[in-house]
């Protein structure tokens, strides 16, 4: 059995999306002893780390933030860069309403920012590090109405990209953070909202998604899975599975620059304590 693992706060919603790609891959791996696929969902990165250590998960898809945790704490091996909607890299966009009075990242004292969730690279870790590096204390709020300690920046989570932009648009949050891919997607950030937003920061780019394998997975399975995933973009029978796999449009090699970006993510984890 080939086990694909993923971390998400709403696991039931994603199992149906991930099952087609692991089934497709498993069907191609009969020559190396694989006969079926399985999806294992976890709510926290720590749960995934334990499963990787115990050899109960074979293959993981993750953003740069989670990937560095799995590499550092479970010796997971990154083997492919996954492209989503044509993009293999992305960056963070931090924004506010035009009428908020916030003109730059130096005007965030006593304000709040809404992030997507605590596992997001582009919509949490990277923008959070940018704020901390400017000398601000970041304080998590239980809800958006909670007061922000004097001189600090409060933060809370929206749970979804479209929620982030809506909260800022309605004035329920002072500042928001999303990926550039979501910023350009009218289903996530409608144009009528963009027209009333001001961008405060665009960060450096980072790998969009990484595919990782547990360290002691049979080398024959590793090699064949890489071959199968790379070739899948040319296989009409894989089209539906790839689209279901969070809008995957291809796989490519991980380049030296991507590993350098992962080192920057590790530095951000150190800065923020995540």
């Amino acid at each position: 059995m080939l086990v694909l693992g993923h971390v998400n706060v709403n696991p039931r919603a994603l199992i149906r999306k991930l099952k087609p790609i692991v089934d497709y891959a498993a069907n191609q791996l009969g020559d190396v002893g694989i006969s079926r696929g399985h999806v294992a969902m976890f709510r926290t990165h720590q749960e995934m780390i334990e499963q990787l250590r115990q050899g109960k998960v074979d293959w993981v898809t993750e953003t740069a933030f989670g990937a560095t945790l799995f590499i550092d704490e479970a010796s997971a091996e990154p083997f492919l860069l996954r492209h989503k909607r044509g993009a293999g890299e992305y960056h963070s966009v931090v924004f506010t309403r035009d009428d908020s009075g916030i003109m730059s990242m130096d005007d965030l004292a006593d304000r709040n920012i809404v992030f997507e969730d605590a596992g997001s690279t582009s919509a949490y870790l990277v923008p959070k590090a940018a704020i901390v590096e400017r000398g601000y204390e970041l304080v998590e709020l239980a809800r958006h109405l909670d007061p922000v300690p004097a001189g600090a920046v409060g933060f809370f989570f929206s749970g979804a990209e479209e929620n982030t932009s809506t909260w800022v648009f309605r004035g329920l949050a002072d500042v928001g953070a999303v990926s550039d891919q979501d910023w350009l997607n009218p289903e996530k950030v409608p144009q009528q909202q963009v027209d009333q937003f001001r961008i405060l920061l665009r960060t450096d780019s980072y790998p969009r998604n990484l595919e990782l394998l547990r360290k002691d997975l049979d080398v024959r399975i590793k090699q064949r899975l890489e071959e199968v995933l790379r070739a899948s973009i040319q296989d009409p029978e894989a089209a539906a599975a790839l689209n279901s796999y969070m809008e995957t449009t291809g796989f490519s090699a991980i380049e030296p620059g991507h590993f350098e970006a992962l080192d920057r993510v590790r530095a951000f984890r150190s800065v923020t304590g995540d």
Side-chain angles (χ1 to χ4, degrees):
M1 183 168 65
L2 179 69
V3 180
L4 170 62
H6 189 60
V7 175
N8 192 276
V9 294
N10 187 14
R12 290 183 180 178
L14 270 181
I15 287 179
R16 292 190 303 273
K17 293 183 178 181
L18 302 183
K19 193 66 166 65
I21 193 65
V22 73
D23 285 345
Y24 171 81
N27 287 338
Q28 311 297 313
L29 299 180
D31 58 330
V32 290
I34 299 296
S35 60
R36 62 192 178 98
H38 176 72
V39 176
M41 297 294 299
F42 306 98
R43 291 183 179 275
T44 69
H45 289 107
Q46 191 57 46
E47 289 177 356
M48 177 69 82
I49 288 167
E50 291 303 320
Q51 295 297 302
L52 284 166
R53 287 174 175 170
Q54 295 173 26
K56 295 181 179 179
V57 171
D58 304 312
W59 166 23
V60 180
T61 184
E62 192 45 276
T63 63
F65 178 23
T68 58
L69 287 171
F70 301 152
I71 293 168
D72 296 347
E73 299 187 30
S75 300
E77 299 176 358
F79 74 112
L80 285 174
L81 183 72
R82 181 166 66 84
H83 296 242
K84 180 176 180 178
R85 295 196 297 269
E89 300 181 357
Y90 64 173
H91 63 263
S92 302
V93 178
V94 181
F95 60 96
T96 187
R97 281 181 61 103
D98 275 330
D99 59 3
S100 69
I102 301 172
M103 304 306 294
S104 76
M105 295 290 287
D106 296 321
D107 300 326
L108 298 184
D110 308 320
R111 303 290 194 136
N112 64 35
I113 181 169
V114 56
F115 298 122
E116 180 186 349
D117 63 60
S120 174
T121 302
S122 61
Y124 173 66
L125 181 68
V126 172
K128 180 181 179 182
I131 293 171
V132 172
E133 289 177 334
R134 283 169 169 76
Y136 291 112
E137 177 188 7
L138 265 168
V139 178
E140 184 170 2
L141 309 176
R143 56 187 188 135
H144 73 282
L145 294 174
D146 288 351
V148 178
V153 178
F155 73 93
F156 56 96
F157 298 106
S158 70
E161 306 91 338
E162 56 268 32
N163 294 343
T164 295
S165 64
T166 297
W167 280 57
V168 177
F169 181 71
R170 293 181 177 176
L172 302 175
D174 298 314
V175 179
V178 296
S179 75
D180 64 310
Q181 300 296 307
D182 291 326
W183 178 262
L184 296 173
N185 183 349
E187 294 183 2
K188 303 294 185 181
V189 186
Q191 188 60 47
Q192 70 177 81
Q193 295 182 5
V194 172
D195 292 342
Q196 297 190 42
F197 288 156
R198 173 187 299 116
I199 293 178
L200 301 174
L201 176 69
R202 287 184 181 272
T203 69
D204 292 336
S205 294
Y206 298 86
R208 179 69 183 82
N209 289 94
L210 294 161
E211 306 299 297
L212 306 102
L213 300 173
R214 62 178 170 89
K215 63 177 181 178
D216 54 353
L217 184 65
D218 188 315
V219 67
R220 298 173 304 155
I221 297 175
K222 292 180 181 180
Q223 292 172 347
R224 283 289 291 124
L225 180 58
E226 180 172 351
E227 292 170 0
V228 166
L229 292 179
R230 280 177 173 271
S232 64
I233 196 64
Q234 306 297 332
D235 183 359
E237 294 186 5
L242 288 169
N243 185 63
S244 180
Y245 193 37
M246 295 173 286
E247 301 174 274
T248 295
T249 53
F251 299 90
S252 63
I254 302 173
E255 305 292 343
H258 297 137
F259 286 105
E260 293 171 6
L262 291 180
D263 285 338
R264 294 199 301 274
V265 169
R266 289 185 178 91
F268 287 159
R269 283 172 43 206
S270 178
V271 166
T272 63
D274 289 286

